[in-house]
Amino acid sequence: MKKALVEKFLDTPNKKISLMGMSGVGKTHLSKKLPKTDWFHYSVDYRIGDRHLSEEIHDFLTLEAMQQPVLAKLIREGAISVQSQLTVDNLAPLSAYLGMMGSESKGGVSLELFLERLEKHRLAEINAVKDIPYFMEKAEKILGFSNFIIDTSGSFCEIQDEASWELIGTNSLLVYIKASEAAKNYVIERAQTHPKPLYYQKDFLLPQIELYLEETGLTSSHEITPSDFTRWIFPRLIEHRLGLYEMIADKYGITIDAERLYHVKNQEEFFELIKEVAHA
């Protein structure tokens, strides 16, 4: 099956590929090696924030600004407005909207609100995946791009939607970039020093909160320091996601080691690596 997928990809003039893996594993690094004039870059995260959660992000930012009385007055008078400057390379507004679960007095989001935002994000991600066939056609017929690359989100494996995984696997060659132990440890270390908002499956998150409360002696999620919990849960989240990535890749795509991919210098070497993996 893997050989058939790769042969179909290599024989097709207009190539379509999807990259899957945890943040920091090399998806963006690879994208920069491909000719920008030939490849249309579709970022699932960007589509989520720019389209499917744009109103929620705008309202969130507006409410944050309105906590300052002067700004609140100007906003209500229509004198100013708050605008997201979300880009493919800067997804900070989307991350800020999602937030980190924990004590609101410590800058966190209540568990109830956090679960609501997680579900909105999950549905937005599913819709962003559904948009892919439309953009594939637009990229080729209107914008004139020969090839199409999909940068899936780090949480793509967690949306619990088989139809989304199948859509990606059917419409493109799905490449799972598997992190080495060194790369995985680097990502974990970075998360310890720079904790950031993360997406979780509800069924994964809730038991982890109970375990954290038990270990720390806290009695409620409202007492949790958001950054401390994010540091604690991140290594567990990585292990959880790795198993899901493997499952999706086994069913719908191929797996390439991140260390080998890092040394790829251009499109031709990338295609050759794909061929080697399929025939290994």
Side-chain angles (χ1 to χ4, degrees), residues 47-87:
R47 183 65 175 170
I48 290 171
D50 184 60
R51 172 69 174 177
H52 297 293
L53 284 180
S54 60
E55 189 169 352
E56 286 83 353
I57 291 172
H58 175 266
D59 291 346
F60 162 74
L61 295 175
T62 300
L63 287 171
E64 288 293 306
M66 290 180 71
Q67 293 186 37
Q68 300 295 322
V70 173
L71 296 182
K73 181 175 183 295
L74 291 171
I75 289 171
R76 290 195 177 98
E77 291 174 347
I80 64 170
S81 63
V82 180
Q83 297 295 326
S84 166
Q85 297 298 320
L86 184 93
T87 68

Side-chain angles (χ1 to χ4, degrees), residues 19-25 27 43-49 53 91 94-95 98 114 117-129 150-162 164-165 168 174 176-177 187 196-202 204 234 237-238 240-248:
L19 303 179
M20 178 178 71
M22 64 185 188
S23 177
V25 79
K27 291 179 291 181
S43 167
V44 170
D45 276 328
Y46 176 73
R47 183 65 175 170
I48 290 171
L53 284 180
L91 299 166
L94 176 59
S95 293
L98 192 59
F114 191 60
R117 289 181 181 176
L118 288 179
E119 180 60 12
K120 287 182 177 180
H121 188 286
R122 187 182 77 87
L123 296 177
E125 187 161 356
I126 290 171
N127 284 326
V129 171
I150 303 161
D151 187 356
T152 67
S153 72
S155 59
F156 175 66
C157 62
E158 298 196 72
I159 56 177
Q160 299 171 299
D161 187 68
E162 192 77 32
S164 294
W165 301 334
I168 290 280
L174 174 63
Y176 165 42
I177 305 175
V187 170
K196 64 179 183 179
L198 299 165
Y199 175 89
Y200 312 92
Q201 285 183 11
K202 179 181 177 181
F204 167 79
F234 189 79
L237 177 65
I238 289 295
H240 168 69
R241 287 186 175 182
L242 290 178
L244 294 174
Y245 290 140
E246 294 275 4
M247 178 270 293
I248 297 170

Side-chain angles (χ1 to χ4, degrees), residues 10-24:
L10 294 175
D11 291 341
T12 302
N14 296 331
K15 302 192 187 314
K16 299 174 177 63
I17 196 164
S18 300
L19 303 179
M20 178 178 71
M22 64 185 188
S23 177

